[in-house]
Coordinates of all heavy atoms in Angstrom, one line a residue:
M224 N -5.9 43.0 37.5 CA -5.4 42.2 38.7 C -6.2 40.9 38.7 O -7.5 40.9 38.6 CB -5.6 42.9 40.0 CG -5.1 42.3 41.2 SD -5.2 43.4 42.6 CE -3.6 43.0 43.3
P225 N -5.6 39.7 39.0 CA -6.3 38.5 39.0 C -7.4 38.4 40.2 O -7.2 39.1 41.2 CB -5.3 37.4 39.3 CG -4.0 38.1 38.9 CD -4.2 39.5 39.1
E226 N -8.4 37.6 40.0 CA -9.5 37.5 41.0 C -8.9 36.9 42.2 O -8.1 35.9 42.2 CB -10.5 36.6 40.3 CG -11.7 36.4 41.2 CD -12.8 35.5 40.6 OE1 -13.0 35.7 39.4 OE2 -13.3 34.7 41.3
Q227 N -9.3 37.3 43.4 CA -8.8 36.8 44.6 C -9.8 35.7 45.1 O -11.0 35.7 44.9 CB -8.8 37.9 45.7 CG -7.6 38.9 45.4 CD -7.6 39.9 46.6 OE1 -8.4 40.1 47.4 NE2 -6.4 40.6 46.6
S228 N -9.1 34.7 45.8 CA -9.8 33.6 46.4 C -10.4 33.9 47.8 O -9.9 34.8 48.4 CB -8.9 32.4 46.4 OG -9.5 31.4 47.2
N229 N -11.4 33.2 48.2 CA -11.8 33.4 49.6 C -11.2 32.3 50.4 O -11.6 32.1 51.6 CB -13.4 33.3 49.6 CG -13.9 31.9 49.1 OD1 -13.2 31.1 48.6 ND2 -15.2 31.8 49.3
K230 N -10.2 31.5 49.9 CA -9.5 30.5 50.7 C -8.6 31.2 51.6 O -8.2 32.4 51.5 CB -8.7 29.6 49.8 CG -9.6 28.8 48.8 CD -8.7 28.0 47.8 CE -9.6 27.4 46.7 NZ -8.7 26.7 45.8
S231 N -8.1 30.4 52.6 CA -7.1 31.0 53.6 C -6.1 29.9 53.8 O -6.2 28.7 53.6 CB -7.8 31.5 54.9 OG -8.4 30.4 55.6
T232 N -4.9 30.3 54.4 CA -3.8 29.4 54.8 C -3.4 29.8 56.2 O -3.2 30.9 56.5 CB -2.6 29.6 53.8 OG1 -3.1 29.4 52.4 CG2 -1.4 28.7 54.3
Q233 N -3.3 28.9 57.0 CA -2.9 29.0 58.4 C -1.4 29.1 58.4 O -0.6 28.3 57.7 CB -3.3 27.9 59.3 CG -4.8 27.8 59.5 CD -5.4 29.1 60.2 OE1 -4.9 29.6 61.1 NE2 -6.5 29.6 59.6
R234 N -0.8 30.1 59.1 CA 0.7 30.4 59.2 C 1.0 30.4 60.7 O 0.3 31.0 61.4 CB 1.1 31.6 58.4 CG 0.9 31.5 57.0 CD 1.3 32.8 56.3 NE 1.1 32.7 54.8 CZ -0.1 32.9 54.2 NH1 -1.1 33.2 54.9 NH2 -0.1 32.7 52.9
S235 N 2.2 29.9 60.9 CA 2.7 30.0 62.4 C 3.0 31.4 62.7 O 3.2 32.2 61.8 CB 3.9 29.1 62.6 OG 5.0 29.7 61.8
T236 N 3.1 31.8 63.9 CA 3.4 33.1 64.4 C 4.9 33.4 63.8 O 5.1 34.5 63.4 CB 3.4 33.2 65.9 OG1 2.1 32.9 66.3 CG2 3.8 34.6 66.3
K237 N 5.8 32.4 63.9 CA 7.2 32.7 63.4 C 7.1 33.0 62.0 O 7.8 33.9 61.5 CB 8.0 31.4 63.7 CG 9.4 31.5 63.3 CD 10.2 30.2 63.5 CE 11.5 30.3 62.9 NZ 12.3 29.0 63.1
E238 N 6.3 32.2 61.1 CA 6.2 32.4 59.7 C 5.7 33.9 59.4 O 6.2 34.5 58.6 CB 5.5 31.4 59.1 CG 5.4 31.4 57.5 CD 4.6 30.3 56.9 OE1 3.9 29.6 57.5 OE2 4.7 30.3 55.6
K239 N 4.6 34.2 60.1 CA 4.0 35.5 59.8 C 5.0 36.6 60.2 O 5.2 37.6 59.5 CB 2.7 35.6 60.7 CG 1.5 34.9 60.3 CD 0.4 35.2 61.2 CE -0.8 34.4 60.8 NZ -1.9 34.6 61.8
D240 N 5.7 36.4 61.4 CA 6.6 37.4 61.8 C 7.7 37.7 60.7 O 8.2 38.7 60.4 CB 7.2 37.1 63.1 CG 6.3 37.3 64.2 OD1 5.2 37.9 64.1 OD2 6.6 36.8 65.4
Q241 N 8.2 36.5 60.3 CA 9.3 36.5 59.2 C 8.8 37.2 57.9 O 9.5 38.1 57.4 CB 9.7 35.1 58.9 CG 10.9 35.0 57.9 CD 11.3 33.6 57.6 OE1 10.5 32.7 57.5 NE2 12.6 33.3 57.5
L242 N 7.6 36.8 57.5 CA 7.1 37.5 56.2 C 6.8 38.9 56.5 O 7.1 39.8 55.6 CB 5.7 36.8 55.8 CG 5.8 35.4 55.2 CD1 4.6 34.7 55.1 CD2 6.6 35.5 53.8
M243 N 6.2 39.3 57.6 CA 5.9 40.7 57.9 C 7.2 41.5 57.9 O 7.2 42.7 57.5 CB 5.0 40.8 59.1 CG 3.6 40.2 58.9 SD 2.7 40.9 57.6 CE 2.4 42.6 58.2
G244 N 8.2 40.9 58.6 CA 9.5 41.6 58.7 C 10.1 42.0 57.4 O 10.5 43.1 57.1
R245 N 10.0 41.0 56.5 CA 10.5 41.2 55.1 C 9.7 42.2 54.4 O 10.2 43.1 53.7 CB 10.5 39.9 54.3 CG 11.6 39.0 54.7 CD 11.6 37.8 53.8 NE 12.7 36.8 54.3 CZ 12.9 35.7 53.7 NH1 12.1 35.2 52.9 NH2 13.9 34.9 54.1
L246 N 8.4 42.2 54.4 CA 7.5 43.1 53.8 C 7.7 44.5 54.3 O 7.7 45.5 53.6 CB 6.0 42.7 53.9 CG 5.8 41.4 53.1 CD1 4.4 40.8 53.4 CD2 5.9 41.6 51.6
K247 N 7.9 44.7 55.6 CA 8.1 46.0 56.2 C 9.4 46.6 55.7 O 9.5 47.8 55.5 CB 8.0 45.9 57.7 CG 6.6 45.8 58.2 CD 6.5 45.6 59.7 CE 5.1 45.5 60.1 NZ 4.9 45.4 61.5
R248 N 10.5 45.7 55.6 CA 11.7 46.2 55.1 C 11.6 46.6 53.6 O 12.1 47.7 53.2 CB 12.8 45.1 55.2 CG 13.4 45.0 56.5 CD 14.7 44.1 56.5 NE 14.5 42.7 56.1 CZ 14.0 41.8 56.9 NH1 13.7 42.0 58.1 NH2 13.9 40.5 56.3
I249 N 10.8 45.9 52.8 CA 10.5 46.3 51.4 C 9.8 47.6 51.4 O 10.1 48.5 50.6 CB 9.8 45.2 50.7 CG1 10.7 43.9 50.5 CG2 9.2 45.6 49.3 CD1 10.0 42.6 50.2
E250 N 8.8 47.7 52.3 CA 8.1 49.0 52.4 C 9.0 50.2 52.6 O 8.9 51.3 52.0 CB 7.0 48.9 53.4 CG 6.1 50.1 53.6 CD 5.1 50.0 54.7 OE1 5.4 49.2 55.7 OE2 4.1 50.7 54.6
G251 N 10.0 49.9 53.5 CA 10.9 51.0 53.8 C 11.9 51.3 52.7 O 12.1 52.5 52.4
Q252 N 12.1 50.3 51.9 CA 13.0 50.5 50.7 C 12.2 51.3 49.7 O 12.7 52.2 49.0 CB 13.4 49.1 50.1 CG 14.5 48.4 50.9 CD 14.8 47.1 50.2 OE1 13.8 46.2 50.1 NE2 16.0 46.9 49.8
V253 N 10.9 51.1 49.6 CA 10.1 51.8 48.6 C 10.0 53.3 49.0 O 10.1 54.2 48.2 CB 8.7 51.3 48.5 CG1 7.7 52.2 47.7 CG2 8.8 49.8 47.9
R254 N 9.8 53.5 50.3 CA 9.8 54.9 50.8 C 11.2 55.6 50.5 O 11.2 56.7 50.2 CB 9.5 55.0 52.3 CG 8.0 54.9 52.6 CD 7.7 55.3 54.0 NE 8.4 54.5 55.0 CZ 8.1 53.3 55.5 NH1 6.9 52.8 55.1 NH2 8.8 52.7 56.4
G255 N 12.2 54.8 50.6 CA 13.6 55.3 50.4 C 13.7 55.7 48.9 O 14.4 56.8 48.6
I256 N 13.1 54.9 48.0 CA 13.2 55.3 46.6 C 12.3 56.6 46.3 O 12.7 57.4 45.5 CB 12.7 54.1 45.7 CG1 13.7 53.0 45.7 CG2 12.3 54.6 44.3 CD1 13.2 51.8 45.0
Q257 N 11.2 56.7 47.0 CA 10.4 58.0 46.9 C 11.2 59.1 47.2 O 11.2 60.2 46.5 CB 9.2 57.8 47.8 CG 8.2 56.8 47.3 CD 7.0 56.6 48.2 OE1 7.2 56.7 49.4 NE2 5.8 56.2 47.7
N258 N 12.0 59.0 48.3 CA 12.9 60.2 48.8 C 13.9 60.4 47.7 O 14.4 61.5 47.5 CB 13.5 59.8 50.2 CG 12.5 59.9 51.2 OD1 11.6 60.7 51.1 ND2 12.7 59.1 52.3
M259 N 14.5 59.3 47.2 CA 15.6 59.4 46.2 C 15.1 60.2 44.9 O 15.8 61.1 44.4 CB 16.1 58.1 45.7 CG 16.9 57.3 46.8 SD 17.3 55.6 46.4 CE 18.8 56.0 45.4
V260 N 13.9 59.9 44.5 CA 13.3 60.6 43.4 C 13.0 62.1 43.8 O 13.4 63.0 43.0 CB 11.9 59.9 43.0 CG1 11.2 60.8 41.9 CG2 12.2 58.6 42.3
D261 N 12.5 62.3 45.0 CA 12.2 63.6 45.4 C 13.4 64.4 45.5 O 13.4 65.7 45.2 CB 11.5 63.6 46.7 CG 10.9 64.9 47.1 OD1 10.3 65.6 46.2 OD2 11.0 65.3 48.3
N262 N 14.6 63.8 45.8 CA 15.9 64.5 46.0 C 16.7 64.5 44.7 O 17.9 64.8 44.8 CB 16.6 63.9 47.2 CG 15.9 64.2 48.5 OD1 15.3 65.3 48.7 ND2 15.9 63.2 49.4
D263 N 16.1 64.1 43.6 CA 16.8 64.0 42.3 C 18.0 63.3 42.3 O 19.1 63.6 41.7 CB 17.1 65.5 41.8 CG 15.9 66.3 41.6 OD1 14.9 65.8 41.2 OD2 15.9 67.6 42.0
R264 N 18.0 62.1 42.9 CA 19.1 61.2 43.0 C 19.4 60.6 41.6 O 18.6 60.5 40.7 CB 18.9 60.0 44.0 CG 18.9 60.5 45.5 CD 20.4 60.8 45.9 NE 21.2 59.6 45.9 CZ 21.3 58.7 46.8 NH1 20.7 58.8 47.9 NH2 22.1 57.6 46.6
Y265 N 20.6 60.1 41.3 CA 21.1 59.6 40.1 C 20.3 58.3 39.7 O 19.9 57.5 40.6 CB 22.6 59.2 40.2 CG 23.3 58.8 39.0 CD1 23.2 59.5 37.8 CD2 24.0 57.6 39.0 CE1 23.9 59.1 36.7 CE2 24.7 57.1 37.9 CZ 24.6 57.9 36.7 OH 25.3 57.5 35.5
C266 N 19.8 58.3 38.5 CA 18.9 57.2 38.0 C 19.5 55.9 38.3 O 18.7 55.0 38.7 CB 18.8 57.4 36.4 SG 18.0 58.8 35.9
I267 N 20.8 55.6 38.1 CA 21.3 54.3 38.3 C 21.2 53.9 39.9 O 21.0 52.7 40.2 CB 22.8 54.2 37.9 CG1 23.0 54.4 36.4 CG2 23.5 52.9 38.4 CD1 22.1 53.4 35.5
D268 N 21.4 54.9 40.7 CA 21.2 54.5 42.2 C 19.8 54.1 42.5 O 19.6 53.2 43.2 CB 21.6 55.8 43.0 CG 23.0 56.2 42.9 OD1 23.8 55.4 42.6 OD2 23.3 57.3 43.2
I269 N 18.8 54.7 41.9 CA 17.4 54.5 42.0 C 17.2 53.1 41.4 O 16.5 52.2 42.0 CB 16.5 55.5 41.4 CG1 16.6 56.8 42.2 CG2 15.0 55.1 41.5 CD1 16.0 58.1 41.5
L270 N 17.6 52.9 40.2 CA 17.4 51.6 39.6 C 18.0 50.4 40.4 O 17.5 49.3 40.5 CB 18.0 51.6 38.2 CG 17.2 52.5 37.2 CD1 18.0 52.6 35.9 CD2 15.8 51.8 36.9
T271 N 19.2 50.7 41.0 CA 19.8 49.6 41.9 C 18.9 49.3 43.0 O 18.7 48.1 43.4 CB 21.2 50.2 42.4 OG1 22.0 50.4 41.2 CG2 21.8 49.2 43.3
Q272 N 18.3 50.3 43.6 CA 17.4 50.1 44.7 C 16.1 49.3 44.3 O 15.6 48.5 45.0 CB 17.0 51.4 45.4 CG 18.1 52.0 46.2 CD 18.7 51.0 47.2 OE1 18.0 50.4 48.0 NE2 20.1 50.8 47.2
I273 N 15.7 49.7 43.1 CA 14.4 49.0 42.5 C 14.8 47.5 42.3 O 14.0 46.6 42.6 CB 14.0 49.7 41.2 CG1 13.3 51.0 41.6 CG2 13.0 48.7 40.5 CD1 13.0 51.8 40.4
S274 N 16.0 47.2 41.9 CA 16.5 45.8 41.6 C 16.5 45.1 42.9 O 16.0 43.9 43.0 CB 17.8 45.9 41.0 OG 18.3 44.5 40.9
A275 N 16.9 45.7 44.0 CA 16.9 45.1 45.3 C 15.6 44.7 45.9 O 15.3 43.7 46.4 CB 17.7 46.0 46.4
I276 N 14.7 45.7 45.6 CA 13.2 45.5 46.0 C 12.7 44.3 45.2 O 11.9 43.5 45.8 CB 12.4 46.8 45.8 CG1 12.7 47.8 46.8 CG2 10.8 46.5 45.9 CD1 12.2 49.2 46.5
N277 N 12.9 44.3 43.9 CA 12.4 43.1 43.1 C 13.0 41.8 43.6 O 12.2 40.8 43.8 CB 12.8 43.3 41.6 CG 11.9 44.4 41.0 OD1 10.8 44.7 41.4 ND2 12.5 45.0 40.0
A278 N 14.2 41.7 44.0 CA 14.8 40.5 44.5 C 14.2 40.2 45.8 O 13.9 38.9 46.1 CB 16.3 40.7 44.7
A279 N 13.9 41.2 46.7 CA 13.3 40.9 48.0 C 11.9 40.3 47.8 O 11.4 39.4 48.5 CB 13.3 42.2 48.8
M280 N 11.1 41.0 46.9 CA 9.8 40.5 46.6 C 9.7 39.1 46.1 O 8.9 38.3 46.5 CB 9.0 41.5 45.7 CG 8.6 42.7 46.3 SD 7.4 42.7 47.6 CE 6.0 42.0 46.8
N281 N 10.7 38.8 45.2 CA 10.8 37.5 44.6 C 11.0 36.4 45.7 O 10.5 35.3 45.7 CB 11.9 37.3 43.5 CG 11.3 37.9 42.3 OD1 10.2 38.0 42.0 ND2 12.3 38.3 41.4
K282 N 11.9 36.9 46.7 CA 12.2 36.0 47.9 C 11.0 35.6 48.7 O 10.7 34.5 49.1 CB 13.3 36.6 48.7 CG 13.9 35.6 49.7 CD 15.1 36.2 50.3 CE 15.8 35.1 51.3 NZ 17.1 35.6 51.8
V283 N 10.2 36.7 48.9 CA 8.9 36.5 49.7 C 8.0 35.6 48.8 O 7.4 34.7 49.4 CB 8.2 37.9 50.0 CG1 6.8 37.7 50.4 CG2 9.0 38.7 50.9
G284 N 7.8 35.9 47.5 CA 7.0 35.0 46.7 C 7.4 33.7 46.7 O 6.6 32.7 46.7
L285 N 8.7 33.4 46.6 CA 9.2 32.0 46.5 C 8.9 31.2 47.8 O 8.6 30.1 47.9 CB 10.7 31.9 46.2 CG 11.1 32.2 44.7 CD1 12.5 32.3 44.5 CD2 10.5 31.1 43.8
Q286 N 9.0 32.0 48.9 CA 8.7 31.4 50.2 C 7.2 31.0 50.3 O 6.9 29.9 50.8 CB 9.0 32.4 51.4 CG 8.8 31.8 52.7 CD 9.1 32.8 53.9 OE1 9.8 33.8 53.6 NE2 8.7 32.4 55.1
L287 N 6.4 31.9 49.8 CA 4.9 31.6 49.8 C 4.6 30.4 48.8 O 3.8 29.6 49.1 CB 4.2 32.8 49.4 CG 4.2 33.9 50.5 CD1 3.6 35.2 50.0 CD2 3.3 33.4 51.8
L288 N 5.3 30.4 47.7 CA 5.1 29.3 46.7 C 5.5 28.0 47.3 O 4.9 27.0 47.1 CB 5.8 29.5 45.4 CG 5.3 30.5 44.4 CD1 6.2 30.8 43.3 CD2 4.0 29.8 43.8
E289 N 6.7 28.0 48.0 CA 7.1 26.7 48.7 C 6.1 26.2 49.8 O 5.7 25.1 49.7 CB 8.4 27.0 49.3 CG 8.9 25.6 49.9 CD 10.3 25.8 50.5 OE1 10.9 26.9 50.5 OE2 10.8 24.8 51.1
K290 N 5.6 27.1 50.5 CA 4.6 26.8 51.6 C 3.3 26.3 50.9 O 2.8 25.3 51.3 CB 4.2 28.1 52.4 CG 3.1 28.0 53.2 CD 3.3 27.3 54.6 CE 2.0 27.3 55.4 NZ 2.2 26.9 56.8
H291 N 2.9 27.0 49.8 CA 1.7 26.5 49.1 C 1.9 25.1 48.5 O 1.0 24.2 48.7 CB 1.3 27.5 48.0 CG 0.1 27.1 47.3 ND1 -1.2 27.2 47.9 CD2 -0.1 26.6 46.0 CE1 -2.0 26.8 46.9 NE2 -1.4 26.5 45.8
T292 N 3.0 24.9 47.9 CA 3.2 23.5 47.3 C 3.4 22.5 48.4 O 2.8 21.4 48.2 CB 4.5 23.6 46.4 OG1 4.4 24.7 45.5 CG2 4.8 22.3 45.7
R293 N 4.1 22.7 49.4 CA 4.4 21.7 50.4 C 3.1 21.4 51.3 O 3.0 20.2 51.8 CB 5.5 22.1 51.3 CG 6.9 22.1 50.6 CD 8.0 22.3 51.7 NE 9.2 22.4 51.0 CZ 10.0 21.4 50.7 NH1 9.6 20.1 50.9 NH2 11.2 21.5 50.1
H294 N 2.2 22.4 51.4 CA 1.1 22.1 52.3 C -0.2 22.1 51.5 O -0.9 21.0 51.4 CB 1.0 23.2 53.4 CG 2.2 23.1 54.2 ND1 2.4 22.2 55.2 CD2 3.4 23.8 54.2 CE1 3.5 22.3 55.9 NE2 4.2 23.3 55.3
C295 N -0.6 23.1 50.8 CA -1.9 23.2 50.2 C -2.0 22.2 49.0 O -3.1 21.5 48.9 CB -2.1 24.7 49.7 SG -2.1 25.9 51.0
V296 N -1.0 22.2 48.2 CA -1.1 21.3 47.0 C -1.0 19.8 47.5 O -1.7 19.0 47.1 CB 0.0 21.6 46.0 CG1 0.0 20.6 44.9 CG2 -0.2 23.0 45.4
T297 N -0.1 19.5 48.4 CA 0.0 18.2 49.0 C -1.4 17.8 49.6 O -1.8 16.6 49.4 CB 1.1 18.1 50.0 OG1 2.4 18.6 49.3 CG2 1.3 16.8 50.6
D298 N -1.9 18.6 50.4 CA -3.2 18.3 51.0 C -4.3 18.0 49.9 O -5.1 17.1 50.1 CB -3.7 19.3 51.9 CG -2.8 19.4 53.2 OD1 -2.0 18.5 53.5 OD2 -2.9 20.5 53.9
A299 N -4.4 18.9 48.9 CA -5.3 18.7 47.8 C -5.1 17.4 47.1 O -6.0 16.6 46.8 CB -5.2 19.9 46.9
L300 N -3.8 17.0 46.9 CA -3.6 15.7 46.2 C -4.1 14.5 47.1 O -4.7 13.6 46.6 CB -2.0 15.5 46.0 CG -1.5 16.3 45.0 CD1 0.0 16.3 44.9 CD2 -2.0 16.0 43.5
K301 N -3.9 14.6 48.5 CA -4.3 13.6 49.3 C -5.9 13.5 49.3 O -6.4 12.4 49.5 CB -3.8 13.9 50.8 CG -2.3 13.6 50.9 CD -1.9 14.0 52.4 CE -0.4 13.9 52.5 NZ 0.0 14.5 53.8
D302 N -6.5 14.7 49.2 CA -8.0 14.7 49.3 C -8.6 14.5 47.9 O -9.9 14.6 47.8 CB -8.4 16.2 49.8 CG -8.0 16.4 51.2 OD1 -7.7 15.4 51.9 OD2 -8.0 17.6 51.7
G303 N -7.9 14.2 46.9 CA -8.4 13.9 45.6 C -8.7 15.2 44.7 O -9.4 15.1 43.7
D304 N -8.2 16.3 45.2 CA -8.4 17.6 44.4 C -7.1 18.0 43.7 O -6.9 19.2 43.5 CB -9.0 18.7 45.4 CG -10.3 18.4 46.0 OD1 -11.1 17.8 45.2 OD2 -10.5 18.7 47.2
G305 N -6.3 17.1 43.4 CA -5.0 17.4 42.8 C -5.0 18.1 41.5 O -4.2 19.1 41.3
E306 N -5.8 17.8 40.6 CA -5.9 18.4 39.3 C -6.1 19.9 39.5 O -5.4 20.7 38.9 CB -6.9 17.8 38.4 CG -6.4 16.5 37.8 CD -5.1 16.6 37.0 OE1 -5.0 17.6 36.2 OE2 -4.3 15.8 37.1
E307 N -7.1 20.3 40.2 CA -7.4 21.7 40.4 C -6.3 22.4 41.1 O -5.9 23.5 40.7 CB -8.6 21.8 41.3 CG -9.1 23.2 41.6 CD -10.3 23.3 42.4 OE1 -11.1 22.4 42.5 OE2 -10.5 24.4 43.0
A308 N -5.7 21.8 42.1 CA -4.5 22.4 42.8 C -3.4 22.6 41.9 O -2.6 23.6 42.0 CB -4.2 21.6 44.1
I309 N -3.0 21.6 41.1 CA -1.9 21.7 40.2 C -2.2 22.8 39.1 O -1.3 23.6 38.8 CB -1.6 20.3 39.5 CG1 -1.1 19.4 40.6 CG2 -0.7 20.5 38.3 CD1 -1.0 17.9 40.1
Q310 N -3.5 22.9 38.6 CA -3.7 23.9 37.6 C -3.6 25.3 38.3 O -3.0 26.2 37.7 CB -5.1 23.8 37.1 CG -5.4 24.8 36.0 CD -4.5 24.7 34.8 OE1 -4.3 23.6 34.3 NE2 -3.9 25.8 34.5
E311 N -4.0 25.5 39.4 CA -3.8 26.7 40.2 C -2.4 27.1 40.4 O -2.0 28.2 40.3 CB -4.6 26.6 41.6 CG -4.6 27.9 42.4 CD -5.2 27.7 43.7 OE1 -4.9 26.7 44.5 OE2 -6.1 28.5 44.0
L312 N -1.6 26.1 40.8 CA -0.2 26.3 41.0 C 0.5 26.7 39.7 O 1.3 27.6 39.6 CB 0.5 25.0 41.5 CG 1.9 25.1 41.9 CD1 2.2 26.1 43.0 CD2 2.4 23.8 42.3
M313 N 0.1 26.0 38.7 CA 0.7 26.4 37.3 C 0.3 27.8 36.9 O 1.2 28.6 36.4 CB 0.4 25.3 36.2 CG 0.9 24.0 36.4 SD 2.6 24.0 36.8 CE 3.3 24.6 35.3
D314 N -0.9 28.2 37.2 CA -1.4 29.6 36.8 C -0.6 30.6 37.6 O -0.1 31.6 37.1 CB -2.9 29.7 37.1 CG -3.7 28.9 36.1 OD1 -3.2 28.5 35.1 OD2 -4.9 28.7 36.4
V315 N -0.3 30.3 38.9 CA 0.4 31.3 39.7 C 1.9 31.3 39.2 O 2.5 32.4 39.2 CB 0.3 31.0 41.2 CG1 1.1 29.9 41.7 CG2 0.5 32.3 42.0
F316 N 2.4 30.2 38.9 CA 3.8 30.2 38.4 C 3.9 31.0 37.1 O 4.9 31.8 37.0 CB 4.3 28.7 38.0 CG 5.1 28.1 39.1 CD1 4.6 26.9 39.7 CD2 6.3 28.6 39.6 CE1 5.2 26.2 40.7 CE2 6.9 28.0 40.6 CZ 6.4 26.8 41.1
K317 N 2.9 30.9 36.3 CA 3.0 31.7 35.0 C 2.9 33.2 35.4 O 3.7 34.0 34.8 CB 1.7 31.3 34.1 CG 1.9 30.0 33.5 CD 0.6 29.7 32.7 CE 0.7 28.2 32.3 NZ -0.6 27.7 31.8
R318 N 2.1 33.6 36.3 CA 2.0 35.1 36.8 C 3.3 35.4 37.4 O 3.8 36.5 37.2 CB 0.8 35.3 37.7 CG -0.5 35.2 37.0 CD -1.6 35.9 37.9 NE -1.8 35.2 39.1 CZ -2.6 34.1 39.4 NH1 -3.3 33.6 38.4 NH2 -2.7 33.6 40.6
F319 N 3.9 34.6 38.3 CA 5.0 34.9 39.1 C 6.3 35.0 38.2 O 7.1 35.8 38.5 CB 5.2 33.7 40.1 CG 6.3 34.1 41.1 CD1 6.0 35.0 42.1 CD2 7.5 33.5 41.1 CE1 7.0 35.4 43.1 CE2 8.5 33.8 42.1 CZ 8.2 34.7 43.1
T320 N 6.3 34.3 37.1 CA 7.6 34.3 36.2 C 7.4 35.3 35.1 O 8.4 35.5 34.3 CB 7.8 32.9 35.7 OG1 6.7 32.4 34.9 CG2 8.1 32.0 36.8
K321 N 6.3 36.1 35.0 CA 6.2 37.1 33.9 C 7.2 38.2 34.2 O 7.4 38.6 35.4 CB 4.8 37.7 33.9 CG 3.9 36.9 33.1 CD 2.6 37.6 33.0 CE 1.6 36.8 32.2 NZ 0.3 37.4 32.1
A322 N 7.9 38.7 33.2 CA 8.9 39.7 33.5 C 8.2 41.1 33.4 O 7.2 41.3 33.0 CB 9.9 39.7 32.3

């Protein structure tokens, strides 16, 4: 697992609620898959649900990437820390796009 930063990002209550709602739905989907496995459900049905979870996680990730790019990277460019912010962004894109 990559090293975590001690940096933070301020999010509005609306944005937090939206992200948390999506993450809780994903958590529910994961529990549903656990039940499907426990109940010996058909492999294709389970794989379909896994695909849905992956799509949902990608949507959350893209939302966070957009926020980071529009705010954190933009602010870093204005403050003269653009190279570091761009490198960090490229590194996360590489991790995010790994299959």
Side-chain angles (χ1 to χ4, degrees):
M224 184 172 221
E226 183 179 319
Q227 290 187 342
S228 169
N229 60 354
K230 299 176 186 178
S231 65
T232 300
Q233 296 297 314
R234 293 178 182 84
S235 69
T236 301
K237 180 181 176 182
E238 185 180 7
K239 284 181 186 180
D240 289 347
Q241 185 181 39
L242 286 168
M243 292 304 291
R245 285 184 179 173
L246 291 169
K247 287 178 182 182
R248 279 192 300 279
I249 292 165
E250 181 182 27
Q252 287 176 296
V253 171
R254 280 194 303 274
I256 289 174
Q257 290 171 331
N258 288 332
M259 292 174 80
V260 170
D261 192 41
N262 294 322
D263 298 321
R264 290 284 301 270
Y265 186 53
C266 296
I267 297 302
D268 294 341
I269 295 170
L270 291 167
T271 299
Q272 291 304 310
I273 290 171
S274 178
I276 290 170
N277 287 335
M280 286 298 295
N281 282 336
K282 193 168 184 177
V283 170
L285 286 172
Q286 182 179 350
L287 289 167
L288 278 169
E289 181 177 0
K290 165 81 175 191
H291 180 71
T292 303
R293 291 188 184 275
H294 297 280
C295 303
V296 174
T297 300
D298 290 346
L300 288 168
K301 289 177 187 172
D302 294 341
D304 297 322
E306 283 301 317
E307 181 182 337
I309 290 170
Q310 185 59 53
E311 181 182 55
L312 182 62
M313 294 310 299
D314 291 344
V315 80
F316 266 118
K317 289 173 189 171
R318 286 193 305 270
F319 191 73
T320 57
K321 281 186 180 176

